[in-house]
Amino acid sequence: AIGKTLDLVSNQFPDHYYIGVDLNVENAKRVFGSKAGVEFIDGYAVDLMENGELAGDVIFFTTTACLFVPDELDRYIAACRDAGFKYVVFCEPVFYHEKLDATYGPNSLHSIMHAWMHNYPGYLEKNGFTVERCLIDDNYSFSTIRYGFDI
C-alpha cells in the first residue's frame, strides 16, 4: 500500500518530495522506485525519527496507526513532534464509531483481531498538536477516519 499511496499523492502534488518508510519496501521500490521525487526506505519510522534520520513537513499514516498498541502510538506522535513534523494525517479504518475528540484524552479500545480504535485527537493534543480537522468518511465499504493536524 505504501507505494500506491505515494504514487497517488505524488501525482496529485508533483512539486514535493516524498519518502515512504516500511519494514519491507521491496515491492514499492520495484513498482514505483524509479519515480522522480519519491524515495522508499526500509526501517521502522519511529526509530528513524528518534535517531534524526527522518523529518519533514507532513507525515501520513494509512492503515498503520490502528495496528499500534496505545504506548507505541503515543511514542510515534511524540517522535513526529520532536522530528519537527507540522502536520500529522491519519487515514485509518474504524470498526465502530466512538466520539473522537481531544476532550476524551489519549485513550484506546482494542477492536478486532490486532486492530485498535484510538482517540487520535487526544493523543495529538497530549503531544502538542492542534487538531484542525476530523472526518469520519462512510463512503467506503468500511469507515475510514481522516485527520489533519497542525502543531
Side-chain angles (χ1 to χ4, degrees), residues 21 24 26 28 37 68 71 76-77 79 81 85 90 93 96 101 139:
V21 179
N24 184 339
E26 290 305 314
F68 297 151
D71 287 345
Y76 255 89
I77 295 172
R81 177 200 61 222
F85 284 94
F90 292 94
Y96 53 88
D101 70 40
N139 293 322

Side-chain angles (χ1 to χ4, degrees), residues 22-42:
D22 209 331
L23 297 175
N24 184 339
V25 295
E26 290 305 314
N27 286 335
K29 283 181 177 180
R30 183 177 46 78
V31 176
F32 303 102
S34 62
K35 187 172 185 174
V38 177
E39 175 185 1
F40 297 99
I41 300 173
D42 282 306

